[in-house]
Amino acid sequence: MDPVNVDRVHFWTGTDLVRVDRTRNEKGSHIEGVTVDAQPTAAREHLFGQVYVRKEKATVEDVVDEDRTNPNPVISPDDPSPSNEEFPIALRKGTRSCTSHPIQRFSHVPLQKYLAYAHGSQCGFCTPGFVMSMYALLRSSKGKPTEEQIEEALAGNLCRCTGYRAIVDAFKVFAKKDDPMYTQHSSPGISSNAFVCPLSGKQCTCGAMSAGPLETSSMDNVCSTNYKHITCGETVGSSYSDKELIFPPELLLRKMVPLSLSGFGGIKWFRPLNLEQVLDLKSRYPDARLIVGNTEVGIETRFKDARYQVLILVAHVPELCALVVKDDGLEIGSAVRLTTLSISLKEVVSKRSFHETSACRAILEQLKWFAGNQIKNVASVGGNICTASPISDLNPLWIASRAEFRIVDCQGNIRTTLANNFFKGYRRVDLRHNEILLSIFLPWTRHFEYVKEFKQAHRRDDDIALVNAGMRILLEKNGMAVQISEASIVYGGIAPIPYLATKTEFFLKGKDWGPDLLDGALDTLKDEMTLADDAPGGMVEFRKSLTLSFFFKLYLWITVDLEASGSIIRCLQPSYLSAVQPYKKVTTKGVQNYEIVKHGKPVGSPIMHLSAEMQVSGEAEYTDDAPMPSNGLHAALVLSSKPHARILSIDDSEAKSSPGFMGLFLARDVPGSNKIGPILHDEELFASEFVTCVGQERHNFICKIVYVLIHIFSLYNVFCSCLGQVIGIVVADAQENAKLASKKVKVQYEELPAVLTIKDALRENSFYPNAEIFLHKGDVELFLGSGSYVKFIEGEVQVGGQEHFYMEPQSSLVWTVDGGNEVHMVSSTQSPQKHQKYVAHVLNLPMSKVVCKTKRIGGGFGGKETRSAFIAAAASIPAYLLRRPVKLTLDRDVDMMITGQRHSFLGKYKVGFTNEGKVLALDLEIYNNAGNSLDLSYAVLERAIFHSDNVYDIPNVRIRGKVCYTNLPSNTAFRGFGGPQGMLITENWIQRIAMELHKCSEEIREINFQHERSVTHYGQPLENCTLGRVWDELKTSSEFVKARDDVNQFNAENRWRKRGIAMVPTKFGISFTTKFMNQAGALVHVYIDGTVLVTHGGVEMGQGLHTKIAQIAASSFDIPVSSVFISETSTDKVPNASPTAASASSDMYGAAVLDACEQIKARMKPMALKNKHKSFAELANACFMERIDLSAHGFYITPDIGYDWKTGQGKPFSYYTYGAAFAEVEIDTLTGDFHTRSTHIVMDLGCSLNPAIDVGQIEGAFIQGLGWVALEELKWGDADHKWVKEGMLYTRGPGSYKIPTVNDIPLKFNVSLLQVTLAYLFPSFACYPVTFPLTFMFL
């Protein structure tokens, strides 16, 4: 063969990045060679990481044939789908580009600049994904995008930091608001020299701004953004074509040829180009998997360990991608993408008669909530059908709509089957091994034929349905009556296959349409719907009620239409119409209101995050971006599969034969101590030979003896176990090889009884010893005793946990230096010092020989304060023993399963109060679920008890708290650190009092408010209490009285949709409650060119700490912020640093840096007075020439704090920050569907170091709190979730655990910072922290 030319293409197969050298000749093409990339994991995670976050969704499928076990499909870079256009825009450093276009450093496109300057990037880990989604929208839009289209394009992306508002606002500048802005013509009445706001289309002055901050007391989201506007006409749609990176034209123009690839383990991958080739391949490989978008098979292979040998990509087969409009219906090829289907259905609906398209409109509406655009761009219709998921959103509709499925065999024979006969069992369909799904025929609907879709999920969009349905009713006139001639009622999420309510259908046929029909149908449906108490998915009663609600909505929907057409007499009450009014999301609006109070030039200015430009370009590096040395190894953990068991044996023989295997390390291999823990060394790095747990004994007396032995003889390693506990660590030459080998390690167990919940712990008396807290004030018995004259209530509040869901998973890279004498590491952690301490401890090295560095982390929220340390310690064992670098980066599912979450709590209260609502006494028992080690659970309980008063003056208080031991992974710090749980319990009984007295809850709150000099239940008097000011300002800004009247009127007029409002205050104490942790160090160097290098002990995790520190240093030296560089956090620069937590870092590290700056300034002062210098650089050089030390170590301790639990006296907090939030929520009472209409927040931050960053923190904390109380739910295998394996976390990925998206934020989102008074002008630049209280405020 004489080669003509060679193309090199990279393909993603789901497990490997495969490089294909394709050699062409005149006769066609074939594969000359296939090589697997040496570092596939890094390229995969960075290039496709955003896709993976959104792909874990069980309702989006890509399999077209009958086999239910399919290998990894391919996303090919020569596929010109919209999702591929995203690739070039946000490649991270170190990844391979699929194009020949160079990626230039800091060559930002306008949308990247807008995002950076609008404060839309905090930790930055998710930022490239948002840039990609927005860029794809602008590149693919034929017209100017609307605000609705922009929000829809971003709905498939996740962010945990920002609260989304800033991101949406940054991109709304591209939305069409005023034609002259896009046609380059002036609007009438606007002078030619005036700047027109791209968002409002009106004259304003924002265009004249520089990239610096705007000095105003009112910052809104239209004109008051911190960037120079770029002409929108230059940045919309096709205007990019000759300016920006585009999908490579050479790939678009290339002639398609069939491909055949071979991969590791004998995997074969084919790309046929016509149906004949597909059928030929299917005949040769009957078990082959047909794929289109990899949206299901990729999940199976990555998360379910599925392995498939033959894959056939059918995305380029014309016969399967055809979509034909016929006289009697619509024929849809099985490989048609969901996005293509949506576009075609919209066109059909606009052109066909209205009565013909009822089914089309139902499918179109269902697709709206089906998935994000990233999924719909690649997922296929046939794949979703053939995966036969019990909760498929579309399959019930195909059945209800009388759809027919056309099936072809390998000989070309075609047969047709009705959709209701296609599904045979759980993920089994009517396809033989020699058949594939060819197309779907959707008939037009007839006159008086109604098809309606329904779906209810935890989160409205891009979520797995709890229950969905497709329903069809065909009516006919019979004299004056309207009768049902046909009915089809089909549910998803009720049974292993779509459930046809045949009894209800039979009941409906021939019945007259009217109220009697509804009553009988609901009774029949209720009897027909049966779900076992342990049915998979749980929520049995709620799901059964949804089946009735859906039919009720169908009845009302049809009745409204019949009344409107005059077919029946009007009988519905106007208030019932709310049940059928469709939800239409309006675009989010918001105002950010703050004043700028400057100390020097930079401090107090709302400048941009220092790393924002790098983050929007994808060039900001995180731990997993650290380049691996050529001899580096990848690690994977061996985890326990039992919640409580004794290890009988560990067999690694199969793992040793795994490709690339380099070693398995267990407890016996640990050079130092195997016992670790942040406070007590009460857990094991690797579970040892004997693994039981404290909760195994059922007798209280024996339990107490065991607990004593634990501490006296340090035998706690014998008593700790949970499902997911680390047993060992495997290292291999590639990450996929390490994970594969770790799963081949066989562990045999002897199972033991497990304690999983707080109620289990109470029943078994399973508590940590010496972890009980008692706090009291006044005489509780006097007011709550039997002879008391006051009213009292008692109740119980159960507070669930929450997953941190930081975007960057836990990761550490560890290596030795100097022949193994020292150990260095780069880690994603909030506490480098703990990593240093843990590694030194397990390696038996002095801490002086261990160095941990952290540049930035992709979110933390407390989850990387202590639970990240054992990741580094585990990786350090093979790195130290093998003298080779080892990287350990957890997959999302493993991270969620083993690293702990926010503590669940149980509160039991009894409250005494007067007839007016004044609280007199509180008796509270409070418990938290620690998991299988103490970690920080005792301190979390302390904080919860401190905040159990929230903002209320309670004269008599008695609180008992206990830490529960369970067989779950150890829970840990999370934003608020127990405070939100304590406040939630308080607000529960406040609401109960209001209900008991028939009063407004806001009235009860107000009469119990603390005030200046009030003394808390732990004895600390309040100083500078701004609660009243905050509350009054919120009442005014939210127009609370008017809002309450409007809500009452709405509720009176609407039977099935209701609105509610609430105002909730918070008070949060600032300081670590452990006194010694309130210290901070910093190192400052001044160089002779006038630049300043700052190193401090805090970690940048998106909260803008480094930016604020740079502002402080710049203000102190009176230099620009650009002259200050913040170096990475490193234990060899600033030793013994406390974790970056407790909202205290700006205070402490800012003061430490200021201390160092003042030392240097004091040394420079004589030289400055001696001579006049033109610049700071000239002064620095002059000082150097005079041998003046220009380096200083700064130090700060929080003064006058400390609390003695024994005496109940002291001052645990340096000060308090106050806040309050107003929220208005609308809920569908038939389904539970809700949205937040309006939110107003007022926070007292004192003098903000950077108000723009602080506002971003407020918004992000509020949305995280919204997720905690309204969307996110941890489902463990316990008594409440019997369908989950005991001790297993079911919600361990974005497919089952739903955090808020763009579509979940309030429609109106206003944030105000309390205006500063003279009392708060602190010379130390201190600012009030903002993150913790807002987590709670959504309540």
Side-chain angles (χ1 to χ4, degrees):
M1 180 193 72
D2 298 322
V4 177
N5 67 325
V6 176
D7 293 338
R8 175 164 293 177
V9 185
H10 289 88
F11 291 91
W12 172 240
T13 69
T15 53
D16 298 302
L17 190 67
V18 177
R19 192 188 72 222
V20 180
D21 295 325
R22 185 176 65 192
T23 308
R24 289 185 190 159
N25 61 16
E26 298 170 351
K27 298 180 181 179
S29 66
H30 71 277
I31 300 301
E32 184 73 10
V34 178
T35 58
V36 178
D37 190 276
Q39 295 185 26
T41 302
R44 181 193 69 237
E45 294 294 344
H46 297 180
L47 188 56
F48 299 90
Q50 186 65 28
V51 177
Y52 260 112
V53 169
R54 306 309 306 141
K55 272 189 177 177
E56 190 182 334
K57 178 172 172 55
T59 59
V60 183
E61 329 299 356
D62 68 335
V63 184
V64 185
D65 65 300
E66 82 292 353
D67 191 356
R68 298 275 36 92
T69 56
N70 191 332
N72 294 308
V74 176
I75 298 176
S76 171
D78 60 356
D79 177 3
S81 66
S83 60
N84 291 108
E85 289 189 336
E86 302 170 353
F87 290 165
I89 191 62
L91 294 177
R92 292 228 187 108
K93 186 176 179 181
T95 65
R96 289 171 172 77
S97 172
C98 295
T99 78
S100 58
H101 297 281
I103 305 296
Q104 296 181 358
R105 184 174 179 81
F106 293 122
S107 57
H108 297 129
V109 299
L111 67 91
Q112 291 171 313
K113 295 178 182 178
Y114 276 102
L115 188 59
Y117 296 147
H119 310 283
S121 179
Q122 291 186 16
C123 83
F125 199 82
C126 67
T127 302
F130 281 93
V131 172
M132 290 161 63
S133 294
M134 186 62 195
Y135 185 83
L137 174 66
L138 296 179
R139 292 291 307 151
S140 60
S141 294
K142 294 181 180 179
K144 291 84 179 178
T146 64
E147 293 182 1
E148 292 80 5
Q149 288 174 322
I150 290 174
E151 293 193 14
E152 182 181 355
L154 302 179
N157 296 75
L158 295 178
C159 175
R160 198 57 154 167
C161 297
T162 64
Y164 298 104
R165 192 276 313 162
I167 298 173
V168 173
D169 280 359
F171 291 153
K172 277 184 180 178
V173 71
F174 298 101
K176 181 179 183 300
K177 275 290 185 178
D178 188 67
D179 281 338
M181 281 305 302
Y182 294 94
T183 60
Q184 303 299 310
H185 297 301
S186 298
S187 299
I190 297 180
S191 66
S192 58
N193 296 326
F195 184 85
V196 180
C197 179
L199 194 59
S200 66
K202 299 179 181 179
Q203 181 174 347
C204 67
T205 58
C206 59
M209 284 186 290
S210 65
L214 182 73
E215 295 194 40
T216 177
S217 61
S218 180
M219 309 282 287
D220 64 47
N221 69 338
V222 177
C223 298
S224 303
T225 41
N226 299 338
Y227 49 80
K228 183 178 180 180
H229 286 290
I230 300 171
T231 303
C232 293
E234 298 178 356
T235 58
V236 177
S238 59
S239 298
Y240 273 101
S241 58
D242 57 355
K243 297 181 181 181
E244 306 296 344
L245 296 172
I246 62 174
F247 190 83
E250 58 269 25
L251 294 181
L252 290 173
L253 298 175
R254 134 200 293 174
K255 181 181 178 181
M256 280 283 186
V257 294
L259 283 181
S260 172
L261 309 179
S262 297
F264 175 79
I267 292 178
K268 296 181 182 297
W269 181 89
F270 299 95
R271 185 182 70 185
L273 297 182
N274 57 51
L275 183 60
E276 182 181 353
Q277 294 173 357
V278 174
L279 297 178
D280 177 63
L281 289 169
K282 186 65 175 174
S283 66
R284 290 157 50 193
Y285 306 102
D287 294 329
R289 309 295 292 168
L290 272 63
I291 58 173
V292 178
N294 193 32
T295 55
E296 171 68 14
V297 172
I299 298 302
E300 291 179 350
T301 55
R302 184 170 174 83
F303 299 106
K304 301 179 182 179
D305 299 324
R307 290 292 178 265
Y308 307 116
Q309 289 304 112
V310 181
L311 298 158
I312 303 174
L313 177 69
V314 297
H316 305 286
V317 177
E319 296 91 334
L320 300 180
C321 296
L323 206 155
V324 182
V325 179
K326 298 182 177 181
D327 291 339
D328 55 347
L330 184 65
E331 185 165 356
I332 307 160
S334 60
V336 168
R337 313 289 179 91
L338 296 179
T339 296
T340 305
L341 177 62
S342 296
I343 295 171
S344 300
L345 289 176
K346 289 177 183 177
E347 185 176 357
V348 166
V349 168
S350 67
K351 293 182 178 180
R352 305 288 301 191
S353 297
F354 185 80
H355 75 271
E356 292 183 320
T357 59
S358 183
C360 296
R361 283 180 272 117
I363 294 173
L364 193 58
E365 186 67 21
Q366 197 74 309
L367 285 173
K368 182 189 299 185
W369 312 115
F370 186 91
N373 286 344
Q374 295 91 334
I375 299 298
K376 290 188 287 190
N377 284 342
V378 295
S380 68
V381 177
N384 181 262
I385 291 172
C386 291
T387 300
S389 170
I391 41 83
S392 167
D393 292 337
L394 294 182
N395 288 342
L397 275 172
W398 296 126
I399 297 173
S401 302
R402 302 180 294 126
E404 298 176 352
F405 296 160
R406 297 180 65 210
I407 299 164
V408 61
D409 65 17
C410 294
Q411 287 71 44
N413 302 312
I414 297 176
R415 67 182 176 93
T416 301
T417 182
L418 289 173
N420 62 353
N421 297 325
F422 187 71
F423 303 98
K424 298 301 183 183
Y426 178 71
R427 294 189 179 265
R428 290 191 299 108
V429 295
D430 183 20
L431 283 177
R432 305 182 185 96
H433 283 277
N434 65 335
E435 293 179 329
I436 68 170
L437 179 63
L438 178 62
S439 63
I440 301 95
F441 178 75
L442 179 67
W444 305 129
T445 49
R446 296 158 285 183
H447 283 287
F448 284 105
E449 187 170 24
Y450 298 87
V451 179
K452 186 62 177 172
E453 83 298 330
F454 298 98
K455 175 181 178 180
Q456 186 60 44
H458 286 287
R459 191 175 66 199
R460 178 180 295 106
D461 62 320
D462 201 8
D463 192 5
I464 298 169
L466 296 170
V467 178
N468 54 37
M471 300 184 186
R472 179 179 60 88
I473 298 292
L474 177 62
L475 302 173
E476 62 181 7
K477 280 278 192 177
N478 185 4
M480 296 298 294
V482 176
Q483 291 183 341
I484 299 175
S485 61
E486 293 181 21
S488 181
I489 310 295
V490 189
Y491 291 100
I494 297 297
I497 60 174
Y499 183 86
L500 279 68
T502 54
K503 293 181 181 179
T504 305
E505 292 173 355
F506 180 79
F507 170 83
L508 292 171
K509 290 178 183 178
K511 295 290 194 301
D512 289 344
W513 193 263
D516 294 339
L517 166 81
L518 176 63
D519 294 338
L522 291 176
D523 289 339
T524 305
L525 191 58
K526 183 178 180 181
D527 293 338
E528 188 173 3
M529 287 297 160
T530 57
L531 272 176
D533 292 339
D534 60 348
M539 305 177 72
V540 171
E541 290 302 318
F542 177 58
R543 288 158 65 192
K544 289 167 66 176
S545 71
L546 285 175
T547 63
L548 302 178
S549 293
F550 289 168
F551 184 83
F552 180 63
K553 282 175 170 282
L554 174 75
Y555 172 82
L556 294 179
W557 179 65
I558 296 177
T559 300
V560 169
D561 186 76
L562 292 175
E563 289 181 352
S565 64
S567 300
I568 62 173
I569 300 174
R570 293 187 179 273
C571 59
L572 285 183
Q573 301 176 25
S575 63
Y576 275 50
L577 298 180
S578 60
V580 295
Q581 291 171 350
Y583 171 74
K584 180 174 174 55
K585 183 181 184 298
V586 298
T587 56
T588 301
K589 304 293 182 184
V591 174
Q592 302 79 51
N593 186 13
Y594 54 81
E595 65 176 349
I596 296 174
V597 180
K598 288 190 174 183
H599 296 269
K601 292 180 179 178
V603 164
S605 298
I607 67 172
M608 180 180 66
H609 194 292
L610 291 184
S611 297
E613 289 189 329
M614 295 183 67
Q615 290 167 186
V616 297
S617 67
E619 294 175 289
E621 292 188 354
Y622 299 84
T623 299
D624 196 41
D625 294 313
M628 281 287 285
S630 58
N631 65 335
L633 299 174
H634 292 268
L637 299 175
V638 178
L639 303 174
S640 166
S641 61
K642 306 294 180 183
H644 183 198
R646 184 188 305 274
I647 296 178
L648 301 178
S649 65
I650 300 175
D651 181 7
D652 63 350
S653 57
E654 188 177 347
K656 288 180 178 178
S657 61
S658 187
F661 176 84
M662 297 301 296
L664 168 66
F665 299 86
L666 304 170
R668 62 175 178 265
D669 302 306
V670 178
S673 174
N674 191 42
K675 300 172 187 175
I676 57 174
I679 300 173
L680 297 177
H681 292 173
D682 62 348
E683 59 181 308
E684 292 181 307
L685 178 61
F686 301 139
S688 57
E689 182 179 359
F690 300 101
V691 180
T692 58
C693 83
V694 177
Q696 68 172 324
E697 297 292 349
R698 301 301 179 101
H699 303 290
N700 297 344
F701 176 72
I702 298 178
C703 280
K704 293 178 181 178
I705 295 176
V706 170
Y707 285 134
V708 173
L709 290 174
I710 288 172
H711 288 275
I712 295 178
F713 300 105
S714 299
L715 293 177
Y716 198 76
N717 62 309
V718 181
F719 300 96
C720 64
S721 176
C722 66
L723 193 150
Q725 186 175 1
V726 179
I727 295 175
I729 186 170
V730 168
V731 289
D733 59 353
Q735 187 177 18
E736 293 298 330
N737 288 339
K739 290 193 289 186
L740 181 63
S742 69
K743 293 169 184 175
K744 293 181 178 180
V745 177
K746 307 300 181 185
V747 183
Q748 290 188 338
Y749 305 91
E750 175 190 343
E751 293 194 55
L752 301 169
V755 175
L756 301 172
T757 66
I758 294 177
K759 290 185 177 179
D760 291 343
L762 293 177
R763 184 178 62 251
E764 303 297 335
N765 199 26
S766 181
F767 303 109
Y768 282 88
N770 303 317
E772 182 175 354
I773 302 175
F774 178 74
L775 188 66
H776 74 280
K777 169 189 175 183
D779 189 347
V780 171
E781 288 298 331
L782 177 64
F783 294 93
L784 295 182
S786 57
S788 175
Y789 61 90
V790 302
K791 289 179 172 287
F792 69 88
I793 56 171
E794 52 187 330
E796 188 174 290
V797 183
Q798 196 163 345
V799 184
Q802 184 182 22
E803 166 59 32
H804 300 87
F805 216 104
Y806 29 70
M807 291 293 106
E808 178 196 21
Q810 303 277 6
S811 182
S812 283
L813 172 61
V814 185
W815 68 96
T816 60
V817 297
D818 195 21
N821 188 48
E822 301 174 39
V823 175
H824 288 202
M825 75 191 88
V826 175
S827 291
S828 179
T829 177
Q830 295 173 240
S831 182
Q833 186 266 353
K834 279 190 170 59
H835 281 227
Q836 177 193 30
K837 181 180 178 181
Y838 273 48
V839 170
H841 183 68
V842 300
L843 297 182
N844 196 25
L845 291 174
M847 290 178 65
S848 57
K849 291 187 176 183
V850 178
V851 177
C852 180
K853 298 182 179 182
T854 301
K855 181 64 178 177
R856 64 175 62 83
I857 65 176
F861 315 110
K864 297 178 181 177
E865 181 177 346
T866 60
R867 301 313 296 169
S868 61
F870 81 87
I871 304 298
S876 72
I877 302 300
Y880 183 73
L881 296 177
L882 298 177
R883 300 294 192 265
R884 295 178 65 176
V886 172
K887 178 183 285 187
L888 175 56
T889 300
L890 300 185
D891 283 341
R892 175 69 60 186
D893 59 334
V894 175
D895 192 311
M896 292 181 70
M897 189 165 59
I898 73 173
T899 59
Q901 288 93 21
R902 182 190 296 277
H903 289 74
S904 59
F905 268 72
L906 176 65
K908 298 181 178 183
Y909 62 80
K910 187 175 182 181
V911 181
F913 54 94
T914 67
N915 289 327
E916 292 73 32
K918 183 70 177 76
V919 177
L920 299 177
L922 167 65
D923 192 6
L924 175 65
E925 294 180 17
I926 190 168
Y927 307 89
N928 68 356
N929 189 334
N932 74 325
S933 74
L934 188 59
D935 194 72
L936 300 177
S937 299
Y938 185 80
V940 169
L941 182 64
E942 284 184 341
R943 174 73 73 161
I945 289 175
F946 279 139
H947 288 78
S948 289
D949 63 344
N950 195 11
V951 296
Y952 307 116
D953 190 8
I954 311 171
N956 303 281
V957 178
R958 179 171 62 201
I959 304 177
R960 299 179 183 88
K962 290 186 177 182
V963 180
C964 299
Y965 174 92
T966 62
N967 294 113
L968 296 181
S970 185
N971 289 313
T972 190
F974 198 130
R975 204 176 208 163
F977 205 74
Q981 293 95 316
M983 289 187 278
L984 191 151
I985 294 170
T986 301
E987 292 302 324
N988 181 275
W989 54 255
I990 284 286
Q991 189 71 30
R992 286 278 311 279
I993 293 174
M995 294 173 64
E996 184 77 14
L997 298 177
H998 305 287
K999 292 187 176 183
C1000 173
S1001 59
E1002 286 73 26
E1003 181 182 347
I1004 302 299
R1005 292 185 174 99
E1006 289 174 358
I1007 65 175
N1008 286 286
F1009 273 169
Q1010 294 169 330
H1011 48 78
E1012 187 73 12
R1013 305 309 299 170
S1014 289
V1015 179
T1016 65
H1017 58 292
Y1018 45 89
Q1020 180 168 343
L1022 303 185
E1023 299 175 355
N1024 300 317
C1025 178
T1026 59
L1027 175 61
R1029 288 183 57 210
V1030 168
W1031 186 259
D1032 291 342
E1033 183 171 318
L1034 178 63
K1035 254 191 168 180
T1036 301
S1037 64
S1038 66
E1039 298 181 302
F1040 177 78
V1041 175
K1042 180 180 182 299
R1044 183 172 56 191
D1045 293 340
D1046 291 344
V1047 163
N1048 291 336
Q1049 181 178 352
F1050 178 88
N1051 291 341
E1053 296 173 353
N1054 293 272
R1055 172 66 178 85
W1056 301 109
R1057 298 193 75 90
K1058 298 295 182 182
R1059 292 176 183 172
I1061 61 171
M1063 283 179 59
V1064 177
T1066 63
K1067 172 183 96 266
F1068 195 84
I1070 303 303
S1071 292
F1072 288 99
T1073 53
T1074 302
K1075 182 177 180 179
F1076 74 84
M1077 298 179 69
N1078 295 283
Q1079 57 178 299
L1083 187 62
V1084 177
H1085 303 313
V1086 174
Y1087 293 93
I1088 59 175
D1089 65 350
T1091 60
V1092 175
L1093 175 66
V1094 176
T1095 304
H1096 61 90
V1099 173
E1100 176 58 55
M1101 51 187 172
Q1103 83 281 39
L1105 177 61
H1106 284 358
T1107 304
K1108 293 179 178 180
I1109 296 299
Q1111 289 178 266
I1112 290 173
S1115 286
S1116 180
F1117 288 122
D1118 195 21
I1119 58 177
V1121 174
S1122 58
S1123 296
V1124 180
F1125 179 71
I1126 309 297
S1127 183
E1128 63 190 0
T1129 306
S1130 180
T1131 58
D1132 62 349
K1133 301 298 189 297
V1134 178
N1136 310 318
S1138 295
T1140 304
S1143 273
S1145 298
S1146 295
D1147 285 7
M1148 295 198 307
Y1149 292 111
V1153 168
L1154 184 63
D1155 177 45
C1157 293
E1158 294 300 321
Q1159 293 178 44
I1160 296 173
K1161 285 170 62 180
R1163 299 172 197 157
M1164 299 175 78
K1165 185 175 181 180
M1167 182 61 64
L1169 295 175
K1170 183 177 180 181
N1171 299 301
K1172 290 185 178 181
H1173 300 88
K1174 298 179 180 179
S1175 65
F1176 185 71
E1178 186 176 309
L1179 174 61
N1181 189 66
C1183 290
F1184 170 73
M1185 299 302 294
E1186 292 296 322
R1187 298 181 296 175
I1188 296 174
D1189 185 7
L1190 297 179
S1191 177
H1193 167 254
F1195 190 70
Y1196 175 79
I1197 60 171
T1198 306
D1200 304 323
I1201 59 170
Y1203 190 78
D1204 188 340
W1205 281 98
K1206 293 181 179 179
T1207 62
Q1209 299 296 319
K1211 183 182 177 183
F1213 304 116
S1214 178
Y1215 60 91
Y1216 298 91
T1217 183
Y1218 298 88
F1222 164 91
E1224 179 182 341
V1225 177
E1226 183 175 317
I1227 185 170
D1228 184 334
T1229 61
L1230 293 172
T1231 63
D1233 187 60
F1234 80 96
H1235 63 274
T1236 307
R1237 289 174 43 80
S1238 176
T1239 293
H1240 297 259
I1241 299 172
V1242 176
M1243 284 290 295
D1244 174 21
L1245 304 187
C1247 292
S1248 174
L1249 296 173
N1250 187 318
I1253 286 179
D1254 287 342
V1255 165
Q1257 287 288 288
I1258 291 171
E1259 293 169 336
F1262 181 86
I1263 297 303
Q1264 194 173 63
L1266 183 154
W1268 175 42
V1269 300
L1271 293 175
E1272 303 171 40
E1273 181 182 5
L1274 294 167
K1275 297 179 181 179
W1276 292 93
D1278 53 28
D1280 293 329
H1281 307 95
K1282 296 178 181 179
W1283 45 278
V1284 182
K1285 179 182 176 181
E1286 186 182 39
M1288 173 69 75
L1289 178 64
Y1290 174 76
T1291 49
R1292 55 181 188 273
S1296 52
Y1297 188 83
K1298 297 299 178 180
I1299 69 172
T1301 69
V1302 166
N1303 286 336
D1304 297 305
I1305 66 177
L1307 305 181
K1308 185 178 181 181
F1309 199 1
N1310 296 343
V1311 176
S1312 298
L1313 304 187
L1314 191 67
Q1315 187 172 354
V1316 176
T1317 62
L1318 293 177
Y1320 298 103
L1321 296 179
F1322 298 125
S1324 65
F1325 306 132
C1327 79
Y1328 280 13
V1330 301
T1331 60
F1332 287 166
L1334 271 298
T1335 302
F1336 165 73
M1337 279 191 180
F1338 179 74
L1339 300 173

